[in-house]
Amino acid sequence: MEKVNLMRQVKEDVVALVSSPLYAERIANKVFPVIGEGSHNASIMFIGEAPGKNEAATGRPFCGASGRILDELLLSAGIAREQVYITNIVKDRPPGNRDPFPEEIEAYAPFLDRQIAIIQPKVLATLGRFSMEYVMSRYGLLGELKPISVLHGKVFQGKAPHGEVLVVPLYHPAVAIYGASKKDTLKEDFRVLQAYL
Ligand code: URA
């Protein structure tokens, strides 16, 4: 099946996921799940945490305050947003922007795995601790797991069903909202990705 149809199937399956702990919130708030956006042939896939308010209202990843920072980081590294694929580990918004619960990550992670299998990117660039922990555990790097303050900006060689995949843990763009020095660190780390475009 073509990538576009496989991705459409992922979307339909997430939309129909009545068993999700966040499904009732989605319906009550009349908001949308966020599947992902970008090129299905991307060599770099960014994996954030979960949709925020703006994302759930529009169905688009990283389109609010964190998205503006992500756009700035991409621009500073010379990476076009259309050239990459951007998604999250959790596809529905946790209420009040709280951290996702383990059972929410468990419910949505199989969809992320399917998206990775469809796109087969060279690099999984995780944004924040939750996607870092899932992706490293899932793709052969459990033994390398350390706090994000230690791992950010480093390149790891992981194993995906489609073959070797590089994992680059990055801080979540939201950390730059509260500190300019973290934005400089993020910019430096994003430059690591230029080699894999
Ligand atoms: N934060 C995330 O982790 N993902 C989004 O899509 C928006 C904010």
Side-chain angles (χ1 to χ4, degrees):
M1 218 196 283
E2 279 189 54
K3 288 184 176 192
V4 63
N5 293 324
L6 290 166
M7 202 58 93
R8 194 172 297 137
Q9 192 61 56
V10 170
K11 179 176 182 176
E12 284 172 15
D13 293 348
V14 172
V15 168
L17 194 69
V18 295
S19 63
S20 161
L22 294 171
Y23 184 82
E25 284 281 330
R26 184 208 296 170
I27 300 304
N29 297 320
K30 298 192 172 64
V31 292
F32 303 102
V34 175
I35 308 305
E37 190 175 83
S39 167
H40 291 170
N41 297 310
S43 53
I44 302 174
M45 183 167 176
F46 288 92
I47 306 167
E49 186 176 308
K53 195 171 194 240
N54 290 289
E55 288 78 17
T58 58
R60 295 187 53 223
F62 285 95
C63 65
S66 297
R68 280 190 288 281
I69 296 166
L70 178 61
D71 288 346
E72 188 184 333
L73 295 166
L74 289 170
L75 189 67
S76 77
I79 302 170
R81 197 169 156 133
E82 311 78 59
Q83 184 173 24
V84 298
Y85 192 83
I86 302 172
T87 186
N88 289 300
I89 182 163
V90 170
K91 311 299 191 193
D92 278 294
R93 181 184 182 224
N97 289 346
R98 63 158 169 74
D99 287 347
F101 292 149
E103 59 268 30
E104 292 162 358
I105 292 176
E106 204 178 305
Y108 291 98
F111 300 99
L112 174 66
D113 290 335
R114 281 167 61 186
Q115 291 176 299
I116 292 169
I118 294 166
I119 294 177
Q120 306 200 352
K122 272 192 268 185
V123 176
L124 301 174
T126 58
L127 298 168
R129 171 166 76 85
F130 294 97
S131 56
M132 175 189 83
E133 286 174 358
Y134 174 74
V135 165
M136 289 188 72
S137 313
R138 173 80 180 160
Y139 294 98
L141 294 164
L142 182 62
E144 307 270 8
L145 255 181
K146 291 193 180 69
I148 194 164
S149 55
V150 177
L151 300 188
H152 73 90
K154 295 189 163 66
V155 181
F156 295 91
Q157 219 161 62
K159 279 195 181 54
H162 67 271
E164 294 219 325
V165 69
L166 300 177
V167 178
V168 182
L170 300 164
Y171 281 119
H172 193 283
V175 300
I177 296 174
Y178 310 104
S181 75
K182 273 284 196 324
K183 193 188 274 185
D184 290 341
T185 305
L186 268 162
K187 282 187 177 167
E188 211 172 293
D189 290 351
F190 265 62
R191 280 201 282 278
V192 169
L193 301 173
Q194 288 170 330
Y196 308 107
L197 276 174

